[in-house]
Amino acid sequence: MWLEIILTSVLAFAIYWLMSRDKEETLPLEDGWWGPGTRPAAREDESIHPFKVETSDEEIHDLHQRIDKFRFTPALEDSCFHYGFNSNYLKKVISYWRNEFDWKKQVEILNRYPHFKTKIEGLDIHFIHVKPPQLPAGRTPKPLLMVHGWPGSFYEFYKIIPLLTDPRNHGLSDEHVFEVICPSIPGYGFSEASSKKGFNSVATARIFYKLMLRLGFQEFYIQGGDWGSLICTNMAQLVPSHVKGLHLNMGLVLSNFSTLTLLLGRRFGRFFGYTERDMELLYPFKEKVFYSLMRESGYMHIQCTKPDTVGCALNDSPVGLAAYILEKFSTWTNTEFRYLEDGGLERKFSLDDLLTNVMLYWTTGTIVSSQRFYKENLGQGWMTQKHERMKVYVPTGFSAFPSELIHTPEKWIRLKYPKLISYSYMTRGGHFAAFEEPDLLAQDIRKFLSVLERQ
């Protein structure tokens, strides 16, 4: 018994020492060209143009025709969401989409915030830019870049934006007033997809950094979950002197140390720095980590290897696309929702909001290019890229939502982000934090800024 404890302690200390040695590296900034053909000799047009979301009767008619031709597959009895999106509930979603969902009205909602486009590294980059309606005398807003993930979009941030840009009119103090920029990842929604292989999170981070410079921001704050978490992390690794603060609501920090402590944590969790809440969220390991990841990661293997194949089907069938995307908004919000026939979707979201997000993939035809982002980032394997082995040396805040796909203890976050100054166990919420719990996420971003400014 004692020998086991001693050997485990020595091994854990050795791994911790190797993983925690401080090397304040930065990623090389480099440059890129992702548009079609060869890079033009002329300097790239850096102008920024207003953009408006539009639709047409023809677009809506085509959607309705395709929905009408959907071939229904009966669900297995009592299968709920265990086999994926339950087709009995899918019929209700389709009926609402076909007969009640008003895309023209949702387009008006999308256009409530100012949209823009600008060309960077050969790609048309779409973003919304929301300034505060009013500011306390003598104050300037804090620029905040917020980055979405898959299968989300810039629309995820529509409910949190007013809490950040206009806090006083939403019951919050005006201590922190933000100017919010939400770009679409290239290949998602209204941002042009790369024409070349290799477009990954580091290239995206560099483009978003150039976007912020183009908007006149030399220093700024950044926030993200899912792919947004990785893109923002890469921005902090590329240009740490320009990033005043980094806030995340997902941690992609699995390492040899975290894997070892995870396996041994049930017996030696306190020794490894796990809190009682960490233990509740991580164990029993088989159910809360291993089986959960096995259940929810099948899509990832497909998209990391041959995204174009399944993408052909999804880009051709709006019903198939909706089922594929909305199933994630069920089980990634709460894995227990798989026991419900409706997947619990309308417990946290409205069908209008969910279908608006689906429409941003359908009308732009970007499901294939969005899925390719997995192959470009993970297709070569785990821990094969330099940024995965690098730490981040900017002040960091982290929101740990209890129903996230995998819980990330503070100890793990601190290994990757040594300047972690704020870590919060959130009371509720899952993967799509800004979409599901905008109030909680806004409060934690504001808390992080308060801690940062007191230092």
Side-chain angles (χ1 to χ4, degrees):
M1 174 65 178
W2 284 108
L3 180 61
E4 179 186 1
I5 294 175
I6 292 170
L7 289 174
T8 301
S9 301
V10 171
L11 180 60
F13 177 78
I15 295 174
Y16 177 80
W17 181 78
L18 287 169
M19 297 296 294
S20 61
R21 288 180 297 172
D22 286 341
K23 293 180 181 178
E24 294 204 23
E25 297 179 273
T26 58
L27 284 174
L29 192 57
E30 299 179 341
D31 199 4
W33 174 263
W34 306 100
T38 57
R39 186 170 197 159
R43 183 174 178 176
E44 190 165 66
D45 179 9
E46 296 186 357
S47 59
I48 296 172
H49 306 281
F51 172 77
K52 187 176 181 180
V53 183
E54 295 180 336
T55 187
S56 65
D57 291 336
E58 290 76 17
E59 182 176 70
I60 296 169
H61 179 66
D62 175 71
L63 171 69
H64 288 171
Q65 278 192 316
R66 291 169 184 264
I67 291 175
D68 290 341
K69 292 179 180 179
F70 168 63
R71 295 193 300 178
F72 174 74
T73 302
L76 295 173
E77 295 177 4
D78 304 318
S79 60
C80 297
F81 262 55
H82 290 286
Y83 284 71
F85 204 104
N86 185 282
S87 56
N88 292 329
Y89 178 61
L90 185 59
K91 284 195 290 186
K92 176 190 173 181
V93 174
I94 294 168
S95 175
Y96 183 84
W97 197 5
R98 175 64 176 84
N99 301 307
E100 298 179 59
F101 179 74
D102 188 342
W103 177 230
K104 289 184 177 179
K105 176 185 174 184
Q106 294 307 116
V107 165
E108 291 178 6
I109 291 173
L110 289 173
N111 285 320
R112 285 179 185 171
Y113 294 136
H115 294 248
F116 302 90
K117 279 192 174 185
T118 189
K119 185 80 75 174
I120 305 177
E121 297 192 11
L123 300 177
D124 266 334
I125 303 301
H126 162 262
F127 62 98
I128 58 173
H129 186 179
V130 187
K131 299 181 180 181
Q134 56 187 0
L135 275 170
R139 297 269 296 280
T140 56
K142 296 163 181 169
L144 174 64
L145 179 82
M146 303 188 78
V147 186
H148 66 89
W150 187 91
S153 64
F154 66 91
Y155 184 61
E156 291 180 66
F157 301 115
Y158 267 49
K159 289 183 172 64
I160 196 174
I161 286 173
L163 305 178
L164 299 170
T165 59
D166 192 17
R168 173 156 288 190
N169 284 329
H170 292 83
L172 302 169
S173 78
D174 57 11
E175 178 187 4
H176 304 295
V177 182
F178 295 92
E179 181 172 345
V180 178
I181 300 92
C182 301
S184 296
I185 298 171
Y188 288 68
F190 302 112
S191 278
E192 185 179 357
S194 172
S195 295
K196 296 173 173 59
K197 296 185 294 183
F199 186 84
N200 60 13
S201 62
V202 176
T204 308
R206 183 178 62 241
I207 283 175
F208 288 173
Y209 163 61
K210 291 179 178 180
L211 171 64
M212 294 302 279
L213 292 184
R214 194 167 292 183
L215 291 171
F217 302 118
Q218 290 294 323
E219 293 183 318
F220 45 84
Y221 302 90
I222 52 181
Q223 199 285 328
D226 195 86
W227 282 129
S229 167
L230 181 57
I231 292 165
C232 289
T233 292
N234 292 157
M235 289 181 73
Q237 293 168 324
L238 286 166
V239 288
S241 62
H242 293 265
V243 178
K244 296 185 73 173
L246 165 67
H247 187 279
L248 307 172
N249 57 275
M250 185 180 185
L252 302 170
V253 295
L254 284 180
S255 63
N256 292 334
F257 175 76
S258 59
T259 302
L260 175 68
T261 60
L262 186 59
L263 294 172
L264 298 174
R266 190 65 184 263
R267 295 188 68 179
F268 307 111
R270 298 299 177 122
F271 176 79
F272 292 130
Y274 291 173
T275 65
E276 185 175 333
R277 184 61 174 148
D278 292 332
M279 300 289 282
E280 291 173 1
L281 294 170
L282 287 172
Y283 300 98
F285 169 79
K286 271 204 248 185
E287 175 54 36
K288 294 194 175 179
V289 179
F290 182 74
Y291 291 153
S292 178
L293 289 178
M294 289 294 288
R295 275 194 307 268
E296 299 302 327
S297 62
Y299 83 98
M300 185 183 293
H301 185 70
I302 292 172
Q303 294 176 190
C304 285
T305 53
K306 298 181 179 180
D308 286 25
T309 305
V310 68
C312 287
L314 299 176
N315 199 42
D316 190 59
S317 168
V319 177
L321 178 68
Y324 195 75
I325 288 178
L326 296 185
E327 183 246 314
K328 306 308 178 195
F329 281 88
S330 166
T331 50
W332 291 5
T333 297
N334 189 323
T335 58
E336 296 302 305
F337 285 174
R338 69 186 188 278
Y339 291 98
L340 304 173
E341 185 162 318
D342 66 357
L345 274 171
E346 293 175 76
R347 294 189 177 193
K348 290 297 184 83
F349 311 106
S350 71
L351 287 181
D352 279 343
D353 283 340
L354 291 169
L355 290 170
T356 296
N357 183 68
V358 173
M359 288 292 283
L360 289 171
Y361 283 87
W362 175 254
T363 58
T364 58
T366 52
I367 187 61
V368 178
S369 51
S370 75
Q371 293 177 153
R372 288 175 182 161
F373 206 60
Y374 281 80
K375 185 171 179 66
E376 304 297 9
N377 285 290
L378 302 173
Q380 287 72 48
W382 191 258
M383 299 298 285
T384 58
Q385 300 183 58
K386 183 179 180 181
H387 69 83
E388 295 175 299
R389 302 184 296 274
M390 286 175 56
K391 296 187 179 185
V392 178
Y393 293 95
V394 302
T396 304
F398 191 84
S399 302
F401 284 87
S403 296
E404 182 56 276
L405 291 170
I406 181 170
H407 172 64
T408 315
E410 180 177 350
K411 193 77 171 180
W412 297 5
I413 297 293
R414 196 173 294 281
L415 283 175
K416 177 79 173 180
Y417 306 88
K419 293 189 176 181
L420 180 73
I421 61 172
S422 173
Y423 181 97
S424 304
Y425 294 100
M426 310 305 286
T427 56
R428 62 184 182 274
H431 185 71
F432 303 98
F435 205 36
E436 178 193 351
E437 297 290 350
D439 293 312
L440 291 182
L441 184 61
Q443 288 169 18
D444 200 60
I445 293 170
R446 290 164 56 83
K447 170 191 166 186
F448 165 59
L449 264 290
S450 294
V451 173
L452 178 58
E453 292 181 355
R454 285 199 300 266
Q455 291 191 336

